[in-house]
Amino acid sequence: MTDRAFAPTLALHLGVIAVLAVLQFVLPDYHHGLLARIMVLAIFAMGYNLLFGYVGLLSLGHAMFFSAGLYGAGLPVFHLGWGVPAAFAAGIAAGGLLALLVGVLVLRTTGVAFMIVTMMFAQAFYLAILYFAPWTKGSEGFVLPQAARAIDIAGARWDLTSPSMRYWTALLLFSAVLALTLYVARSPYGRVLVAIRENEERTRMLGYDTFATKLLAVVLSGAICAASGAAYVLIFGYAGSTLASIQYSILPLLWVLLGGAATTLGPLLGTVFMYYVIDVASGYTTAWLLIVGIVLILLVLFFPRGVLGTIRERWVPWLP
Amino acid sequence: MAAVSPILVTKGLSRSFGGLKAVDDVDFEMAPGEIRALIGPNGAGKTTFVSLVCGRVEPTGGTIIFDGEDVTRLAAHQRVRRGIAYTFQITSVFGNLTAWDNVALAVQRHAGKGPRGARGLREGVQEALLRTGLAGRQGVLAANLAYGHQRLLEVAMGLALKPRLLILDEPTQGLSDGEIDGFVGLVRDIARDATVLLIEHNMDVVMRLADRITVLNAGRILAEGAPDAIRADAEVQQAYLGAPADG
Ligand SMILES: Nc1ncnc2c1ncn2[C@@H]1O[C@H](COP(=O)(O)OP(=O)(O)OP(=O)(O)O)[C@@H](O)[C@H]1O
Ligand SMILES: [Mg+2]
């Protein structure tokens, strides 16, 4: 974040995007589909990282923002026959608005109270999804019809049910959000976010309205997580209440912790890693949760700042 | 002094913690451009008094007028924006950020936007680092700076805010003699375009810098006047100067 050369940073990020683009042509079908899903969920992790990594606010309720996007985009398509672009925008708006309302209330608390209050809001949101089961289809969920998951642009058809278009769409959105988080992390606003994490009172005494700054961060974070949820339902065609459960509030925390909090590429790395550990472990044993747990413990012991956080600390200080 | 309107006025300013009156009915005035020293024994209420002025602590009574405006109800960040800056007694820099980023946080709010803002930011940070002699350490994490340099970084952040009133809370604590000489020059320099309120235990620094001195004891103003008069004051001698040196 110092006044440092941007070239290596830019090269690294473009390189990662290029590798993801090339993988699309070399990966076997199964991993191809998995990686598309991982990129969409990495957006969720990046949104979470903005608040947890940069501002230092540990939320246990981000499933509500993800699912606000999921249902905000999915329900209008399912019930009202909306097109993909309008539904995507509605999903993001739903998440941003929810984040604004929740943010105004939860930012009065800090630390453990913040964790508990965010978890309670997310739980209320989850129960609301079950309560409105006639529309949301509750835990069973709903599948979007194939015909609804395509965009017609100037005669051409962008079909989200084709594996390669799914992959490109996921990569496009992932890249956009990666660029956004890189921009925020390097901007003066990002510097204030980190300052709040380090010492909120000092930041206030430099003339910053820290409440307003944090509220904006909650809204940004919520909107990005909602974009992930909206992309998920539109690309993969399914929404169900499991995706709003507590598990989906804890997952982004784990992804970010693994990859490295307050690093731009950590969320991707953590998401990829967790997915493949689970995938490999469940191929060998039914006790795969145990293996996941052991891997997590090992990582926290040897990479307490996550993979990229440790690399930055020890070897590559310019890593954003 | 009576001709110019004061930059800072407090009327009946009070703050109690439980039963303890840390600041007790203080009427205080500063003229623009002066260097005022605020002295007094440990626990006299100096930090509490300036914390009331800058908004870190809420008063239990009284009013604070800054540049003719009643700021008693304003939030701390709003007072900073009006030109009141406070440097912390307990070093309070951002340890995980570089010296450059620490100062940038103070500069960027008024540096503007776009490319011109980016240049203004670089120049502003550079200037503050040069004035405090930290230019060679801009890339060092604040936590890794020597203690004296952390104190100077506090001051650099304070002056980078371009305040109209700069409050320095024991800035020389822990500095070496050489660093203190540099610091005295720096404060004179700052005082050319700001009013300075200096809390200081080092009487040598006080005598070299202050235009006037206010002595606080047990939350009340015990004496106020020119440095020589204060030095001669018997009551002050007893309450403070005569006490064993403590800083
Ligand atoms: N937040 C607080 N809660 C309770 N008591 C406090 C608080 N802050 C200060 N005090 C008390 O108020 C009195 C004045 O403290 P203050 O820090 O203002 O003194 P000071 O003149 O700055 O002293 P020093 O020279 O040691 O810095 C002390 O008795 C202190 O213990
Ligand atoms: Mg004090």
Side-chain angles (χ1 to χ4, degrees):
Chain A
M1 288 215 327
T2 317
D3 196 27
R4 71 167 81 93
F6 185 45
T9 301
L10 189 64
L12 175 69
H13 288 75
L14 290 177
V16 168
I17 291 169
V19 167
L20 287 170
V22 171
L23 279 177
Q24 126 109 324
F25 302 105
V26 288
L27 285 180
D29 280 354
Y30 172 73
H31 293 281
H32 182 272
L34 196 56
L35 196 54
R37 200 170 290 253
I38 287 174
M39 285 191 288
V40 169
L41 291 174
I43 296 174
F44 186 15
M46 287 191 279
Y48 187 82
N49 184 35
L50 183 71
L51 199 62
F52 170 64
Y54 292 95
V55 195
L57 289 170
L58 198 163
S59 147
L60 287 181
H62 262 51
M64 70 180 137
F65 303 130
F66 179 77
S67 51
L70 193 80
Y71 287 98
L75 290 175
V77 175
F78 190 63
H79 291 293
L80 307 171
W82 283 23
V84 169
F88 187 61
I92 295 176
L97 203 64
L98 178 67
L100 181 66
L101 293 174
V102 171
V104 167
L105 298 170
V106 298
L107 285 175
R108 288 160 207 282
T109 63
T110 51
V112 177
F114 184 84
M115 290 156 61
I116 292 171
V117 176
T118 48
M119 189 156 95
M120 280 167 46
F121 271 104
Q123 203 58 20
F125 196 80
Y126 173 68
L127 292 174
I129 290 168
L130 293 181
Y131 182 81
F132 292 105
W135 291 282
T136 63
K137 309 291 173 208
S139 59
E140 199 176 296
F142 60 85
V143 174
L144 294 184
Q146 299 232 343
R149 286 155 56 203
I151 314 167
D152 289 308
I153 319 163
R157 195 164 169 78
W158 184 311
D159 186 359
L160 292 175
T161 58
S162 111
S164 83
M165 288 317 280
R166 281 181 183 179
Y167 194 98
W168 282 121
T169 310
L171 179 58
L172 186 75
L173 292 175
F174 168 80
S175 307
V177 174
L178 181 65
L180 177 68
T181 48
L182 180 62
Y183 174 77
V184 169
R186 290 179 52 89
S187 71
Y189 174 69
R191 190 182 287 122
V192 181
L193 294 184
V194 172
I196 289 175
R197 179 189 76 200
E198 294 289 310
N199 188 338
E200 182 164 353
E201 198 200 358
R202 190 68 181 100
T203 311
R204 206 177 295 127
M205 295 313 298
L206 290 174
Y208 294 100
D209 183 344
T210 55
F211 183 85
T213 310
K214 288 194 291 186
L215 186 58
L216 180 57
V218 171
V219 171
L220 256 177
S221 170
I224 293 174
C225 295
S228 168
Y232 192 94
V233 72
L234 294 171
I235 295 177
F236 305 111
Y238 171 76
S241 66
T242 324
L243 293 166
S245 65
I246 177 82
Q247 190 189 344
Y248 276 82
S249 287
I250 292 173
L251 279 173
L253 171 64
L254 292 183
W255 295 330
V256 169
L257 277 176
L258 279 182
T263 64
T264 49
L265 290 167
L268 172 68
L269 202 68
T271 314
V272 170
F273 196 88
M274 271 281 278
Y275 249 82
Y276 274 93
V277 167
I278 292 175
D279 201 53
V280 172
S282 54
Y284 286 103
T285 164
T286 48
W288 56 270
L289 264 175
L290 182 71
I291 299 193
V292 172
I294 292 172
V295 170
L296 278 174
I297 290 171
L298 289 178
L299 269 160
V300 170
L301 281 180
F302 295 104
F303 292 96
R305 289 169 190 277
V307 176
L308 286 182
T310 308
I311 290 177
R312 167 163 68 191
E313 191 176 62
R314 301 212 181 138
W315 301 292
V316 196
W318 56 265
L319 207 66
Chain B
M1 217 184 101
V4 279
S5 53
I7 185 154
L8 177 70
V9 179
T10 74
K11 288 184 195 147
L13 195 58
S14 306
R15 169 73 210 205
S16 341
F17 294 109
L20 175 82
K21 289 178 173 170
V23 172
D24 187 7
D25 198 19
V26 169
D27 295 329
F28 180 84
E29 258 190 52
M30 278 182 84
E34 74 168 312
I35 301 179
R36 176 75 63 94
L38 184 61
I39 66 173
N42 291 115
K46 306 180 294 294
T47 296
T48 307
F49 174 72
V50 297
S51 297
L52 292 168
V53 170
C54 70
R56 282 177 68 215
V57 174
E58 287 205 15
T60 41
T63 49
I64 304 156
I65 293 150
F66 181 69
D67 197 25
E69 182 192 8
D70 186 338
V71 298
T72 319
R73 299 268 154 259
L74 289 187
H77 71 267
Q78 292 168 315
R79 298 189 206 185
V80 178
R81 289 175 188 198
R82 279 169 177 69
I84 303 177
Y86 173 70
T87 69
F88 285 61
Q89 173 172 9
I90 297 163
T91 308
S92 173
V93 294
F94 301 102
N96 280 327
L97 298 186
T98 61
W100 196 94
D101 276 326
N102 271 271
V103 179
L105 280 160
V107 176
Q108 69 184 35
R109 211 170 26 74
H110 52 78
K113 297 214 184 304
R116 174 153 354 126
R119 179 152 41 82
L121 176 63
R122 277 196 302 277
E123 287 168 0
V125 174
Q126 193 64 20
E127 185 200 326
L129 289 171
L130 278 173
R131 283 173 79 180
T132 46
L134 290 170
R137 294 188 166 66
Q138 61 173 32
V140 181
L141 289 187
N144 296 341
L145 289 171
Y147 180 76
H149 288 141
Q150 291 186 4
R151 298 298 307 164
L152 287 172
L153 185 56
E154 272 283 347
V155 178
M157 290 160 80
L159 70 90
L161 288 169
K162 301 225 176 293
R164 300 174 56 210
L165 171 64
L166 177 60
I167 301 169
L168 298 162
D169 197 345
E170 299 196 26
T172 66
Q173 206 178 43
L175 295 193
S176 70
D177 288 349
E179 285 170 330
I180 286 178
D181 281 339
F183 174 79
V184 168
L186 176 63
V187 172
R188 286 209 182 98
D189 187 42
I190 293 170
R192 282 188 299 170
D193 32 47
T195 309
V196 175
L197 177 55
L198 172 71
I199 300 179
E200 185 55 70
H201 277 299
N202 183 327
M203 284 312 290
D204 178 49
V205 172
V206 170
M207 291 300 164
R208 281 162 77 188
L209 280 173
D211 299 316
R212 287 169 69 78
I213 298 176
T214 300
V215 186
L216 212 58
N217 190 30
R220 292 179 152 269
I221 293 184
L222 181 70
E224 193 170 284
D228 291 339
I230 293 295
R231 202 205 288 266
D233 191 311
E235 242 184 316
V236 176
Q237 293 271 345
Q238 201 187 358
Y240 183 59
L241 301 175
D246 54 40

